[in-house]
């Protein structure tokens, strides 16, 4: 929650009095549109402003819908193709509604996420779309408490308005595909356990296994990051052993590419010695030497729904909407060779 001073929001005057300088000096130092001064006075003013909880704009007055026709979008990183596709889809959906979308990145660090969100809000955006939600994240709760319009995209905390794919169904479709091909020894590589996408995709995979009468082997269910290097490491752990699985479901395409890399390094033939299914169906995967089977995420539908939840007066406060994914089979999956 934003801290207050004497019963109200912290003002420039409060910071000036605590710093022993004039209001105009504080205003100039805290104006992030100008180059930041490194003087001792400037550093002291910024430190005191942070300690007091000063915010350059009052959220209640600046976040009226339609005030700026600008939407803030927060993603972990734009080097991640999924996040780049998500922002592009949001930007296009916003443009159709007469809004302009601006993006900020924060990695997967909660402190950076809060700072980036406050930066967007300081620019008087009419609301924010967060593709960064963690199940243990305090930021959505803070936004709800401050009545700031926001929507979670691709991930959810299961409370704030959210637009995402049906990840449980997607995990089920991927694993069911492998089972239908005849695989009985199936491993899974999923993302960080603090994300709803990782948990739900694993839940779907486990449902498919149990439905087929197959055991869920925790030693073959790895929770790692969402990057290619994470997939390489997980692939080596799963495949460089005598009792390697015949198939792997990777909970995003980056992980799948990493597993493919590890498998190739071990001399395994994709689609023959090992089957792999990815998730999201980013454009690259259909162009790989062995085209990757993947679960397609409907980014355009998710983006359009996110804008509707954010901007429509009729949208429910805790509305969570899920778009159905689609399995796209390709050459990386085939019946087991052994």
């Amino acid at each position: 929650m934003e801290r207050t001073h004497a019963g109200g929001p912290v003002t420039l005057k409060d910071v000036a009095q605590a710093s022993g300088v004039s209001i105009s000096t504080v205003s100039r130092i805290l104006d992030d549109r100008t180059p930041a001064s490194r003087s001792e006075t400037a550093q002291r003013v910024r430190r005191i402003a942070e300690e007091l909880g000063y915010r350059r704009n009052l959220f209640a007055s600046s976040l009226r819908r339609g005030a700026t026709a600008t939407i803030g979008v927060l993603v972990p990183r734009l080097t991640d193709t999924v996040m780049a596709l998500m922002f592009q889809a949001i930007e296009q959906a916003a443009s159709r509604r007469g809004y302009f979308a601006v993006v900020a990145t924060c990695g997967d660090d909660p402190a950076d996420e809060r700072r980036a969100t406050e930066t967007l809000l300081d620019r008087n955006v009419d609301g924010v779309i967060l593709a960064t939600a963690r199940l243990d994240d305090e930021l959505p709760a803070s936004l709800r408490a401050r009545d700031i319009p926001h929507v979670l995209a691709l991930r959810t905390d299961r409370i704030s308005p959210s637009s995402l794919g049906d990840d449980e169904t997607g995990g089920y479709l991927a694993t069911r595909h492998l089972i239908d091909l005849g695989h009985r020894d199936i491993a899974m590589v999923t993302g960080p356990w603090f994300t709803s996408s990782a948990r739900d995709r694993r839940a779907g995979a486990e449902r498919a296994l149990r439905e087929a009468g197959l055991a869920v082997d925790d030693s073959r269910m790895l929770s790692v990051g969402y990057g290619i290097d994470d997939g390489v490491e997980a692939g080596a752990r799963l495949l460089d052993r005598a009792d390697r699985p015949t198939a792997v479901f990777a909970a995003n395409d980056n992980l799948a590419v990493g597993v493919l890399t590890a498998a190739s390094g071990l001399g395994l033939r994709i689609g023959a010695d090992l089957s792999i299914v990815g998730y999201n169906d980013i454009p690259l995967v259909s162009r790989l030497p062995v085209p990757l089977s993947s679960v397609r995420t409907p980014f355009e539908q998710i983006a359009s729904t996110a804008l509707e939840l954010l901007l429509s007066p009729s949208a429910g406060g805790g509305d969570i909407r899920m778009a159905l994914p689609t399995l796209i089979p390709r050459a990386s999956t085939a019946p087991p060779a052994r």
Side-chain angles (χ1 to χ4, degrees):
M1 291 290 292
E2 180 181 341
R3 298 209 306 192
T4 60
H5 182 78
V10 176
T11 65
L12 285 172
K13 182 178 179 181
D14 298 324
V15 178
Q17 289 178 342
S19 305
V21 297
S22 69
I23 294 175
S24 61
T25 298
V26 171
S27 178
R28 184 175 63 256
I29 290 171
L30 299 182
D31 188 346
D32 55 14
R33 296 170 297 181
T34 60
S37 170
R38 296 183 180 180
S39 70
E40 181 179 341
T41 298
Q43 293 178 22
R44 185 177 75 254
V45 168
R46 283 193 288 268
R47 185 184 69 251
I48 291 173
E50 182 177 0
E51 290 173 352
L52 291 176
Y54 170 76
R55 296 250 51 89
R56 190 165 57 84
N57 291 293
L58 299 178
F59 299 123
S61 62
S62 68
L63 292 176
R64 294 187 297 273
R65 291 183 180 177
T68 63
T70 304
I71 302 298
V73 182
L74 187 64
V75 300
R77 58 194 64 81
L78 284 172
T79 52
D80 185 326
T81 303
V82 169
M83 293 301 167
L85 291 170
M86 189 72 253
F87 174 66
Q88 181 181 38
I90 291 172
E91 184 180 42
Q92 292 171 348
S95 179
R96 289 193 296 270
R97 288 174 170 262
Y99 282 77
F100 179 72
V102 295
V103 67
T105 61
C106 64
D108 273 312
D109 183 271
D112 288 342
E113 179 192 32
R114 288 192 296 272
R115 283 192 289 268
T117 301
E118 298 297 351
T119 298
L120 289 171
L121 295 173
D122 279 346
R123 282 152 178 76
N124 292 350
V125 295
D126 299 332
V128 290
I129 296 176
L130 309 176
T132 55
R134 306 164 60 103
L135 291 169
D136 59 353
D137 196 351
E138 297 178 357
L139 179 59
S142 172
L143 297 176
R144 292 194 299 271
R146 294 151 66 185
D147 199 28
I148 292 174
H150 68 286
V151 172
L152 311 183
L154 291 180
R155 306 176 184 176
T156 180
D157 67 350
R158 312 200 195 281
I159 303 172
S160 282
S162 305
S163 176
L164 62 156
D166 186 340
D167 290 314
E168 200 273 346
T169 295
Y172 176 87
L173 290 174
T175 309
R176 185 74 244 181
H177 172 60
L178 295 170
I179 292 169
D180 289 344
L181 287 170
H183 293 277
R184 295 296 179 266
D185 190 352
I186 301 170
M188 179 178 180
V189 182
T190 190
W193 205 236
F194 59 71
T195 63
S196 62
S197 53
R199 295 196 186 198
D200 292 348
R201 290 170 194 176
R202 173 166 172 169
E206 291 183 353
R207 177 163 69 91
L209 292 171
R210 292 192 177 100
E211 186 180 272
L214 301 175
V216 176
D217 185 348
D218 285 338
S219 70
R220 276 161 152 53
M221 300 283 183
L222 303 185
S223 177
V224 294
Y226 269 137
I228 292 176
D229 288 344
D230 298 307
V232 172
E233 180 181 350
R237 289 169 58 189
L238 290 170
L239 303 175
D240 192 11
R241 48 196 289 181
D243 63 339
R244 63 173 175 79
T246 64
V248 176
F249 164 42
N252 82 350
D253 291 332
N254 283 341
L255 290 173
V257 170
V259 174
L260 284 168
T261 302
S264 296
L266 294 169
L268 300 177
R269 297 167 298 161
I270 306 304
D273 301 319
L274 181 72
S275 287
I276 303 179
V277 182
Y279 204 107
N280 288 315
D281 196 36
I282 62 176
L284 165 71
V285 300
S286 66
R287 305 296 182 181
L288 293 173
V290 179
L292 180 70
S293 298
S294 189
V295 177
R296 179 172 294 169
T297 296
F299 293 109
E300 293 79 8
Q301 183 179 350
I302 291 170
S304 180
T305 300
L307 264 293
E308 179 184 346
L309 289 170
L310 189 68
L311 302 175
S312 174
S314 62
D319 200 353
I320 298 176
R321 302 188 192 178
M322 294 186 291
L324 283 174
T326 306
L327 175 72
I328 309 297
R330 296 191 180 97
S332 72
T333 51
R338 58 179 174 84

